[in-house]
């Protein structure tokens, strides 16, 4: 594997991780908004009752996905940094 392909792989992986973070954040926002809306509807229907709701399971999944994508981004950042260091070393050796 040459340095250029390692660098490209790191950039592509980082972009995919960024898209995963965005997707997880949108899912968290959507679930939170839906939860708040349903809570408000329940309160309007029965204001005298105490409403206890749990966060949807997909919020938990989205939070886990958010953390996984964070680790993916960090790993790909290390790949990019390593490729940059190798390229810098090669340039220094050739000059």
């Amino acid at each position: 594997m040459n340095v250029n392909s390692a660098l490209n792989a790191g950039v592509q992986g980082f972009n995919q991780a960024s898209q995963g973070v965005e997707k997880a954040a949108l899912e968290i926002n959507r679930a939170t908004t839906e939860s708040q809306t349903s809570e408000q509807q329940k309160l309007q229907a029965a204001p005298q009752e105490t409403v206890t709701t749990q966060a949807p399971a997909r919020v938990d999944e989205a939070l886990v996905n958010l953390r996984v994508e964070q680790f993916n981004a960090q790993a790909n950042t290390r790949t990019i940094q390593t490729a940059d260091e190798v390229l810098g070393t090669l340039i220094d050796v050739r000059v």
Side-chain angles (χ1 to χ4, degrees):
M1 178 181 261
N2 65 27
V3 175
N4 196 23
S5 64
L7 185 63
N8 286 337
V11 171
Q12 287 177 349
F14 187 82
N15 286 338
Q16 288 174 349
S18 295
Q19 291 171 354
V21 166
E22 186 176 338
K23 181 180 176 183
L26 288 172
E27 184 65 28
I28 291 167
N29 185 30
R30 185 179 302 119
T32 303
T33 303
E34 288 172 1
S35 175
Q36 289 173 349
T37 302
S38 79
E39 226 176 278
Q40 289 173 352
Q41 289 172 347
K42 288 178 184 179
L43 286 173
Q44 289 172 355
Q48 70 278 7
E49 296 178 17
T50 304
V51 178
T52 307
T53 59
Q54 284 185 319
R58 64 184 179 172
V59 172
D60 297 340
E61 292 173 17
L63 288 170
V64 169
N65 290 339
L66 187 64
R67 190 72 167 158
V68 166
E69 296 302 339
Q70 175 191 357
F71 289 127
N72 285 338
Q74 289 172 340
N76 285 295
T77 299
R78 287 189 209 117
T79 302
I80 294 167
Q81 289 172 339
T82 302
D84 181 52
E85 290 171 7
V86 169
L87 184 59
T89 301
L90 289 174
I91 290 173
D92 290 343
V93 169
R94 288 186 180 179
V95 173

